[in-house]
Every structure is written in C-alpha cells, then in structure tokens.
Amino acid sequence: MNHAFHLLGTEHELWLARTGSGHYRLHAGAADVAVSLAPISEEVHELRVRDERMPVVIAQRGDEVHVHLAGETYLLRYTHNLERFADHSVAEGEAVLRAPMPGAVISVAVQAGDSVTRGQALLVIESMKMETTIAASCDGTVHTLHVATGQTFDRDAPLVTLERGAPAA
Amino acid sequence: MWLNNRAKQRKTYEQDGERVLSAWPFQSVLVANRGEIALRIVRTVQRLGLRAVVVHHAVDAGSVAVRQADEAIEITGSTPVAAYLDGAQIIEAARRSGAGAVHPGYGFLSENAGFARACAEAGLVFVGPTPELIALMGDKVTARAFVARGGFPVAPSAIEDDDPASFVKRARAVGYPLLIKPAAGGGGKGMRIVRDGSVLEAEIERARSEGQRYFGDGRLYVERFIENPRHIEVQVLGDSHGNVVHLHERECSVQRRFQKIVEESPSPALTEALRKDICEAAAGITRAAGYSNAGTVEFIYGDGRFYFLEMNTRLQVEHPVTEAVLGLDLVEQQLRVAAGEALGFTQADLKPRGHAIEFRIYAEDPAAGYLPTTGPVLVLREPTGEGIRVDSGIRAGHEVTAAFDPMLAKLIVSGATREQAIERARQALHDYVVLGCKTNIAFLRRLCAHPAFMAGEIHTGFLDAHPEVAAEPVLNDATLQQLLAVAALMTRPVRDAADAVPALHAAMGAWRNT
C-alpha cells in the first residue's frame, strides 16, 4: 500500500519493501532504490541510499519527521490514509480566518453577532513589529471571536469564524 | 598588546583581585533580562566572583540563565514581556535578593531613563550611563541636535517639533527618497521610506500611529534616505573619571526590515583614513556628552561620507564581535566602570586583531518573508572548534513561542582574516542543528557562500537586491530520495507495512506493478 508524506507543500507517495534485516527498497515516483538507516547516536543516523552514505540528524514528533541533511533542515509530515481520503469540504456556511503568522492581537473591532461586509476590518494583529489588519473574507455575521486584545497566537491559529450570508441592511 | 593586556588583567585578579572587588559598591548583580544575554551576563558576573541574580517570568523558569544563576526570582505580568518591563517589580526583586547593582542587558528596560533613575533612588547601581544621557540619546531629535551642535556630521533632515505646522512642507524640501522616523524610535520600528511625494502625507500618518503605539509618542522627523547605505557603528566606553576610548567599528549592513542579521569587525568598506575618522567622531561625541559606561554610536555610510544615525546607550546584541577582535570582556568593563573604577587601558592599547563575524540565529522562515516561526526545540547541536563562540538562550526541550523576540542565539566566528572567518562560519553553520522549529541557519550558510557577501559588497538593501539568498533551495531528485528514505524508515506505519511482508515477496515487489 502506498504511503504519503508532505514536504514543502507537495505530497509525495511512496512505499517501502524489506529486502533483508534492516535493508529496504524505497519506491517513490520512478525511483526504486536500496535504502537503510543505522543509528550512530540518539539523534544522528547514517543514511544509505544506493551506495551513498551520509550522516543525518533526525527528530520525530507525532507524524512529523524533522531532518537535518547537508546543512539544511526539512520537515516531512506523514499523512494517514484516513485523512488523505477523507472528505475535506468544510461546513458550507462558515469561513475561518486564520493567523498568517504568529503574533499578538492589538485591537478587536467587532463582537460575536455583528454583521460584517467583505473587506471590513475585524481586528488588528502585530507580528514582526508590524501591524496587519485582518479583514472579513466575505459578507456575513461574526460567529465566534477566538482571540481577545493582548492575546498571542501561533501561525494558523483561528482568529475569527464568520457565518456567510448577506449582511443586515 | 592584545595578549599583554589579557595577561595583565589575569595578574590583577590573582594578586589583588579580592581586595579590589571587595571594595566595590556591589557584590551581587541582578540581571534584568532573559535569553542568551542574561546567561552571558551571569557568566561574567560569576567569573568575577560576584553573585548573579536573575529575574524571570514563569515561561522562562527552565531557561539556561535561570539554571546558571545563583538566585532566580519570578516576576509576573499580564504578558511575559510586560513582566520584564515592570521596573518597580524588578527593583523590588533586587531589594529582596540583596543585589547591589542591576544590569539591564539590551532591549526591555536598558534604555529607559526612568528605570535608571528609579534604580539610583532605590540605592542600586544601574550598569549603564546616567539617566540624563539615556534621555538625551533616547530622543532621536535631541540626540541629533546635540551631535550637530558639536560639529559632527548628520544627514539633511526636517524635524516636526521645530515647527509642526510646516513639517510636511519642510519634509518635501529634504527631497526624495526620504525616511520617516519616530522621534522616540529605535530598532527600525515605525520607519518608512518614501520615494514618491504623493504618498508622503499618508505615510507620515501611518508612521505617527506606529510611533504612538510603540513608544507612546507620535512625534516624527524625516531624513534624506541614502540608497544602499552601509551601517557602520563604533563601540565606545567611558568611565566616571572622564576617560573615553573607542573600541573600533562594527559593520552591520546585512539587515532585513531594518534589523541586523550579520555584524562584523573590522568593516570591509573603510579605508584606514575613514576608519580613523569615524572612530574619532564617535569618541568625540561620547566625550562631548560626558558619557560613562559602554555605548554605541551608529552611522550610515555611503558615497564616502558618514552621518550620525543614533547612539545606543547600552550593551549591543553584537558586542561579542568587538570582544573577539580586542580580547576584552565588555560586560566586565561595564561592571568595572559601574563600580567606579577608571579604565585599565588607553586608546593606544586597543589594537584589534583578526576578523570576527556574528550571525544572529532567528526563529524565522527567510523564504516566507522572514516570518517568525514557533515550535519546540527537539534537537540542538551547537558547532564547536577554533574561533567559534555560541551565545545561546535555548536548550533542547525549549519551546519557541511568539511571546518574545525571535532571536534564539548568536554564532560568533573569528579568524586571522575575513576569508578565514567566513570559511569557519560556513562549516559552523553547516554543523549547527536546530530541529523542531524552523530557523535561519541554512539561510545564513547560503549568505556566507554568496559572492557579493564574500567580496564584502554589502549594504542595508543587500537582501532585497539578492532575493535568491532567502529563497528555499530547489530540491533535487537525489535529496528528495534521501529525505523520503529517512521519513519512510522512521515512520512506524510505513516500516510496519514493509516488515509485515516476507523479504522474498518484498524483493519480488521490485517488479510488481503497483
């Protein structure tokens, strides 16, 4: 069965086949290569791909595999098959505005229940010592405010949930 | 001289260090900061045989500085940053711990004249200049006027306070491009470049709103903007006996969003004659101000001329560059001056040696417009070797959050020449591993390999002019296979699925049609 990993915004399908103790073949795209991984210490491994050997530093966290290879770091995320083939459509009536970057809330201009029009300023956030206005992505009503003034948040954190619809006249 | 001075210092500690230090007005120093700088100050305080106390917000309870300090006192605030800005609480912590002096580090309360005054009123020695000098240099307009009065070079400008009604008109007369700056500003906050007169008024209002928010002060001034200037600054040191020396220059031209990323000494841009001029101008400004303790006079340099930018009345982030080329400990010098000692050297004694470069390690994604990143530090491996120094505020297990500035650590590399320092830096950045939270380390390594950087052809617009340095490198097929191999072999469901099939069948799988 194929597995999938996300790397730099692209999904890569692969499968692994065992050829002996600790020895595998990696099938990914057109590639079919002999691979193995031997631990040198808790964090450092020796990776072999074909006949090439190289040290890699690896850390895992849940489905994330963090890799340091030749001076660059990479993040690969394992996608469970359930998730891959799940129906991704969101409840049609809702629009969730998420934080484009980590930061803090400077001010909030609306409250739950308010009617808003597309483009209307909802809140002002600060990141990287710069202010950014978060504006309504559609006409509708403020369903939930997920943050308050002064609160800090991480990237992709939900800020405001809007219920789509024509604004009240 | 470089070695002689070190030897002399060591001899002083051994022979009469105890006697001299026990006569100091403080035996215990409270560090009012966090992260790498708190740890760096604690180390020098302890090396001198003094007691180090740190204050910390609960989120920093497990930090390296807290672990290293002789005593740690928790402070609270509505946000973690607010705790470190709460002067009254910090002074109370100093009183409770019996500290006799407060070292503010950089940022937070380091350039707050009110805090320096409150320390003095509480009987604490503030490790820095007098509140009057902090106030003079903290207001960019009064600082500029002071420097201009002394006959030192400043860029053409218009100051709102001189006559608010005619500010816009006078700003137009300065000519484009121009730079709008908050009078109370610093660190690039609220600064705006205007190239086109039609947006001048709108940009003035935006800068005013940012100035109001960041500094509680909406007053502005504009300055002629020098295209592709270099940022060159001079470290200065004065004592309370009227002695002033400069500790040579640092070039900090590689910046993003007006914030420094790489700093080095000596500057690759200056001739010997210009180096002498700029360093003497800095020392002259310092002397004219009657300044004591460590400070930095910043200049912009372009077309063979330099102009005063501002004076920072504190220890700078990039001070280790100066320490590396002079073989001095600047925090030790600050403490000696604060204790009332006279400088132990003259200008002629200060002979820089070799070349040093500092790289700021930030939790940020250069390819995504240098957006700050967050996450846990899962693995941390710092480089070691000849000429390598790492000043770090993180350890494995540390959680990088949006609560503080994204600077995690500093890598300082020195060598006999600039070429050797860059060569060592490339290896050190290659070996520097932070996993779990994206950093700019790989970006810095690519920067080191850039021909223009290697040639010393840098200016403050360098990264905008060379976007390829920040771009994510293209993944070639070989690297992709290596990464997928690691991910597949490390991920349980993938490996389990492979191991569930007997090796013979798996081998057949090589020509199985899937």
Side-chain angles (χ1 to χ4, degrees):
Chain A
M1 183 176 59
N2 280 4
H3 299 273
F5 286 90
H6 259 280
L7 170 65
L8 295 167
T10 308
E11 192 176 72
H12 298 274
E13 291 201 349
L14 59 83
W15 61 277
L16 201 60
R18 193 161 71 103
T19 53
S21 176
H23 293 274
Y24 297 85
R25 292 196 78 83
L26 172 76
H27 301 259
D32 170 8
V33 289
V35 296
S36 67
L37 194 63
I40 294 172
S41 68
E42 200 183 318
E43 297 153 353
V44 187
H45 289 67
E46 187 187 67
L47 171 70
R48 186 176 63 83
V49 175
R50 295 192 186 88
D51 295 325
E52 216 183 328
R53 290 163 196 275
M54 67 215 74
V56 285
V57 187
I58 307 168
Q60 272 182 298
R61 181 174 177 250
D63 292 329
E64 295 174 358
V65 184
H66 298 261
V67 184
H68 184 266
L69 175 69
E72 298 276 346
T73 62
Y74 303 90
L75 168 58
L76 296 100
R77 188 177 278 111
Y78 178 65
T79 322
H80 289 269
N81 284 335
L82 271 179
E83 221 176 283
R84 284 175 65 203
F85 304 116
D87 182 5
H88 275 293
S89 65
V90 187
E92 202 160 50
E94 285 187 356
V96 182
L97 304 181
R98 291 176 183 276
M101 54 197 124
V105 180
I106 301 299
S107 63
V108 180
V110 291
Q111 43 187 331
D114 284 2
S115 288
V116 295
T117 52
R118 187 184 148 85
Q120 182 180 337
L122 304 180
L123 43 100
V124 179
I125 61 168
E126 182 208 56
S127 282
M128 304 185 299
K129 305 179 179 179
M130 286 189 315
E131 290 177 20
T132 309
T133 300
I134 301 293
S137 55
C138 57
D139 291 343
T141 319
V142 178
H143 182 270
T144 317
L145 261 175
H146 301 279
V147 291
T149 302
Q151 196 175 326
T152 58
F153 48 79
D154 288 332
R155 187 176 170 179
D156 292 331
L159 301 174
V160 184
T161 302
L162 298 178
E163 196 140 3
R164 287 175 212 273
Chain B
M1 167 55 221
W2 197 85
L3 285 174
N4 286 346
N5 198 34
R6 289 293 271 201
K8 201 158 65 190
Q9 277 177 14
R10 197 167 305 122
K11 211 169 125 201
T12 309
Y13 293 140
E14 283 163 9
Q15 288 185 344
D16 55 17
E18 284 299 310
R19 186 175 55 76
V20 171
L21 283 171
S22 66
W24 279 19
F26 52 83
Q27 295 298 314
S28 173
V29 179
L30 180 135
V31 182
N33 216 300
R34 62 175 302 281
E36 65 86 18
I37 195 62
L39 178 65
R40 187 257 167 276
I41 295 166
V42 164
R43 288 209 167 123
T44 291
V45 167
Q46 291 176 336
R47 185 174 57 76
L48 293 174
L50 303 170
R51 214 168 127 263
V53 182
V54 297
V55 287
H56 67 92
H57 183 271
V59 299
D60 284 331
S63 77
V64 271
V66 166
R67 289 176 180 201
Q68 177 69 30
D70 298 296
E71 187 180 350
I73 298 181
E74 188 178 326
I75 50 175
T76 56
S78 56
T79 62
V81 167
Y84 291 97
L85 288 171
D86 187 341
Q89 210 183 151
I90 290 166
I91 287 171
E92 174 56 22
R95 201 194 52 73
R96 259 171 46 213
S97 67
V102 174
H103 195 307
Y106 53 70
F108 296 125
L109 294 166
S110 61
E111 292 179 288
N112 184 315
F115 178 67
R117 203 170 288 120
C119 283
E121 283 163 5
L124 297 164
V125 175
F126 178 80
V127 182
T130 61
E132 292 73 25
L133 274 165
I134 297 174
L136 170 72
M137 294 301 177
D139 184 315
K140 303 307 161 201
V141 173
T142 60
R144 221 173 162 286
F146 173 82
V147 167
R149 270 203 309 280
F152 301 101
V154 295
S157 68
I159 296 161
E160 182 167 30
D161 268 2
D162 289 350
D163 177 21
S166 66
F167 178 52
V168 174
K169 194 173 147 224
R170 288 182 294 121
R172 287 191 197 287
V174 167
Y176 302 99
L178 58 76
L179 194 58
I180 310 173
K181 299 183 181 186
K189 292 183 196 172
M191 301 208 317
R192 289 180 176 271
I193 299 170
V194 181
R195 295 176 192 280
D196 171 2
S198 67
V199 298
L200 177 65
E201 276 160 279
E203 290 291 310
I204 282 178
E205 284 323 305
R206 206 154 296 153
R208 190 187 310 289
S209 138
E210 286 189 7
Q212 189 62 250
R213 253 206 358 85
Y214 288 119
F215 314 108
D217 185 340
R219 291 172 308 133
L220 304 172
Y221 69 104
V222 302
E223 215 169 57
R224 172 71 70 78
F225 179 67
I226 295 165
E227 293 282 1
N228 296 335
R230 300 175 80 117
H231 175 115
I232 297 175
E233 61 185 30
V234 180
Q235 176 73 53
V236 292
L237 185 64
D239 64 21
S240 55
H241 307 274
N243 302 304
V244 166
V245 292
H246 69 75
L247 292 103
H248 300 271
E249 87 283 7
R250 294 184 288 256
E251 172 154 3
C252 320
S253 296
V254 181
Q255 305 186 352
R256 51 118 182 76
R257 250 178 283 111
F258 299 111
Q259 287 185 318
K260 300 162 189 170
I261 303 180
V262 178
E263 302 99 338
E264 62 185 302
S265 187
S267 161
L270 297 178
T271 61
E272 274 315 307
L274 267 165
R275 175 169 291 122
K276 191 161 172 284
D277 284 354
I278 202 167
C279 289
E280 280 178 2
I285 291 166
T286 311
R287 204 169 284 120
Y291 191 91
S292 77
N293 219 296
T296 295
V297 185
E298 299 189 334
F299 297 94
I300 43 171
Y301 172 77
D303 303 327
R305 293 150 68 102
F306 59 87
Y307 301 108
F308 172 80
L309 194 60
E310 61 182 54
M311 181 169 189
N312 292 316
T313 57
R314 55 166 159 87
L315 190 67
Q316 300 270 97
V317 172
E318 58 273 25
H319 75 276
V321 162
T322 298
E323 295 184 325
V325 293
L326 285 173
L328 276 174
D329 179 334
L330 270 170
V331 172
E332 176 189 334
Q333 295 305 321
Q334 287 191 293
L335 292 168
R336 289 185 176 277
V337 167
E341 285 192 10
L343 296 183
F345 40 78
T346 64
Q347 189 66 62
D349 293 331
L350 296 164
K351 297 269 183 284
R353 214 174 74 162
H355 197 100
I357 313 178
E358 175 182 277
F359 299 86
R360 299 191 188 191
I361 311 300
Y362 280 106
E364 67 183 21
D365 185 354
Y370 305 95
L371 283 187
T373 54
T374 55
V377 177
L378 301 172
V379 171
L380 175 65
R381 295 168 68 88
E382 292 172 348
T384 53
E386 199 181 346
I388 305 295
R389 165 178 169 182
V390 177
D391 282 16
S392 175
I394 58 164
R395 57 184 177 79
H398 177 101
E399 185 79 29
V400 179
T401 69
F404 298 109
D405 185 271
M407 198 183 82
L408 304 178
K410 307 181 303 204
L411 168 69
I412 304 101
V413 180
S414 33
T417 60
R418 188 171 189 268
E419 290 66 34
Q420 188 181 39
I422 291 175
E423 195 48 48
R424 286 177 174 169
R426 284 170 71 172
Q427 186 62 47
L429 289 162
H430 182 277
D431 297 344
Y432 203 144
V433 183
V434 178
L435 286 182
C437 176
K438 184 153 180 76
T439 71
N440 66 341
I441 294 172
F443 154 82
L444 292 169
R445 189 177 49 79
R446 294 195 293 272
L447 172 70
C448 273
H450 196 283
F453 178 80
M454 289 171 75
E457 287 158 9
I458 44 179
H459 54 81
T460 58
F462 176 84
L463 291 173
D464 291 331
H466 298 283
E468 71 277 11
V469 184
E472 200 70 51
V474 177
L475 208 57
N476 63 40
D477 284 349
T479 307
L480 177 62
Q481 282 170 22
Q482 289 157 8
L483 292 170
L484 292 177
V486 170
L489 290 164
M490 290 301 289
T491 301
R492 200 56 195 269
V494 181
R495 202 152 174 163
D496 283 354
D499 289 345
V501 180
L504 187 63
H505 288 130
M508 287 165 61
W511 57 84
R512 183 178 65 187
N513 203 3
T514 54

